[in-house]
């Protein structure tokens, strides 16, 4: 079975939208068109910065760094520290305060008026060979994720 991290929007104008990750990847969340987790198009999204936070995904955890957003990034109501993880930095957590910046199964990530629930799901392989594959070869992240497991 493959471990999949799923972020599901649970509040705000994008409610129900899902983003899934099945491998190590870094991405940005915000209003800008170059953000993988893009939240724009509604007046309520104006409380989200163009480049709001950075997500370092390494199943079953997601490290979160606020990108000096105007309104902050929160995990279960606690503010995430600002700063960007260096490109050469590994994902281990040498800082004792780091666990507060980690998303785990069941946590809630909030930016502006939008909140996401984090789910770690183990998806069995497709049982029917006629079903189209959900993931393309080499794909580690998916917007509008159809995974239901």
């Amino acid at each position: 079975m493959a471990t999949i991290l799923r972020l599901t929007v649970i509040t705000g104008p994008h409610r129900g939208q899902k983003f899934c990750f099945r491998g190590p990847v870094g991405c940005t969340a915000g209003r800008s068109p170059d953000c993988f987790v893009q939240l724009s198009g509604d007046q309520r999204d104006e409380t989200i910065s163009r480049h709001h936070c950075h997500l370092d995904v390494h199943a079953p955890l997601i490290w979160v760094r606020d990108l000096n957003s105007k309104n902050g990034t929160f995990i279960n109501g606690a503010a995430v520290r600002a700063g960007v993880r260096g490109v050469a930095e590994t994902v281990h957590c040498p800082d004792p305060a780091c666990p507060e910046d980690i998303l785990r199964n069941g946590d809630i990530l909030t930016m502006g008026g939008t909140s996401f629930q984090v789910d770690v799901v183990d998806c069995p392989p497709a049982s029917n060979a006629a079903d189209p594959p959900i993931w393309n070869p080499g794909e580690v992240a998916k917007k509008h994720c159809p995974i239901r497991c």
Side-chain angles (χ1 to χ4, degrees):
M1 289 202 270
T3 298
I4 308 292
L5 281 166
R6 180 176 56 207
L7 293 178
T8 304
V9 180
I10 57 173
T11 64
H14 307 282
R15 187 176 182 164
Q17 190 170 354
K18 295 176 181 154
F19 300 87
C20 294
F21 306 91
R22 70 170 186 168
V25 65
C27 67
T28 306
R31 288 184 294 117
S32 179
D34 65 339
C35 292
F36 181 79
V37 178
Q38 185 188 19
L39 302 164
S40 66
D42 189 276
Q43 184 176 3
R44 191 167 169 184
D45 296 329
E46 293 301 314
T47 60
I48 299 170
S49 297
R50 288 177 37 84
H51 295 102
H52 198 95
C53 66
H54 184 81
L55 307 173
D56 274 327
V57 180
H58 290 265
L61 307 172
I62 303 175
W63 275 259
V64 180
R65 291 287 177 259
D66 186 82
L67 298 176
N68 297 309
S69 64
K70 183 178 179 182
N71 294 309
T73 304
F74 301 86
I75 297 174
N76 300 326
V80 171
R81 296 172 291 152
V84 181
R85 183 178 296 281
V87 175
E89 238 181 292
T90 60
V91 177
H92 71 283
C93 188
D95 181 347
C98 186
E100 69 195 33
D101 298 340
I102 297 175
L103 286 169
R104 294 177 174 86
N105 189 42
D107 283 348
I108 304 296
L109 171 68
T110 303
M111 57 186 98
T114 299
S115 293
F116 299 82
Q117 179 164 335
V118 178
D119 293 301
V120 178
V121 292
D122 287 322
C123 295
S127 58
N128 184 351
D131 291 339
I134 293 174
W135 297 94
N136 296 320
E139 187 177 38
V140 294
K142 185 173 283 298
K143 299 178 184 184
H144 313 293
C145 180
I147 296 171
R148 300 195 193 295
C149 62

